[in-house]
Amino acid sequence: MNLTKIDYELLEFISKNPNCTKQDILQKFKKEKAIEYRLNNLSENICDDFGRMIECTSYINHKCDRIYIDCGVYHEKYYDCYFLNPVGHKILSDQKSFILQEKINHFKYSFLYPILSAIITAYITTRFIEN
């Protein structure tokens, strides 16, 4: 699944506010559309090429509680509470390092290299003019 900027913002918000509720998320991103759809996509496991679900590939989890019912059967009850799982932390840290590298490259190519080029050109020009 390709994540967009808003998906990364959702992951960042959930990372900074662990155990936040859906209402908190909707309040924060009230100007954005389809936030509930994005939350469902981020909390679903990814399918492989054959349509089989790959376990532990979602980015966020719901907090759940196990309730014991007769005959030894466990049922999970999901609360309206979200938190990042290890895959979510990894993808968020990868994105942060990618953004940092892009900022460094932008600084080098738009500011540093043109200044160095101008200084070298001015130096060479003054050397030739003096001789």
Side-chain angles (χ1 to χ4, degrees):
M1 177 170 79
N2 292 332
L3 299 180
T4 61
K5 182 181 178 201
I6 189 68
D7 293 325
Y8 287 113
E9 289 175 6
L10 274 168
L11 290 174
E12 182 70 30
F13 180 77
I14 293 171
S15 173
K16 288 182 179 178
N17 303 300
N19 297 326
C20 60
T21 64
K22 186 182 280 188
Q23 195 65 298
D24 296 336
I25 295 169
L26 293 175
Q27 177 124 11
K28 170 71 176 165
F29 296 98
K30 60 186 167 193
K31 295 181 181 177
E32 299 295 329
K33 297 190 189 287
I35 292 298
E36 290 186 42
Y37 174 77
R38 291 177 188 279
L39 283 173
N40 287 337
N41 280 346
L42 291 172
S43 62
E44 288 180 354
N45 287 324
I46 299 171
C47 293
D48 63 6
D49 294 336
F50 301 107
R52 296 177 296 209
M53 297 294 272
I54 303 171
E55 293 296 320
C56 302
T57 55
S58 64
Y59 303 112
I60 59 176
N61 289 338
H62 292 99
K63 192 172 190 176
C64 65
D65 190 19
R66 293 184 186 260
I67 299 172
Y68 185 73
I69 307 285
D70 291 330
C71 302
V73 178
Y74 283 98
H75 293 278
E76 293 181 349
K77 178 181 177 186
Y78 288 96
Y79 294 106
D80 186 23
C81 199
Y82 294 92
F83 61 95
L84 282 181
N85 60 20
V87 176
H89 283 291
K90 181 206 174 295
I91 199 76
L92 193 58
S93 71
D94 289 349
Q95 178 66 11
K96 285 180 181 180
S97 68
F98 175 76
I99 289 174
L100 179 63
Q101 188 61 42
E102 286 295 312
K103 285 181 180 180
I104 291 170
N105 286 341
H106 181 71
F107 172 75
K108 288 192 303 190
Y109 291 111
S110 66
F111 181 73
L112 186 61
Y113 291 162
I115 294 283
L116 289 175
S117 175
I119 291 171
I120 291 170
T121 304
Y123 177 76
I124 291 172
T125 305
T126 55
R127 285 292 177 183
F128 282 120
I129 291 176
E130 288 178 357
N131 292 335

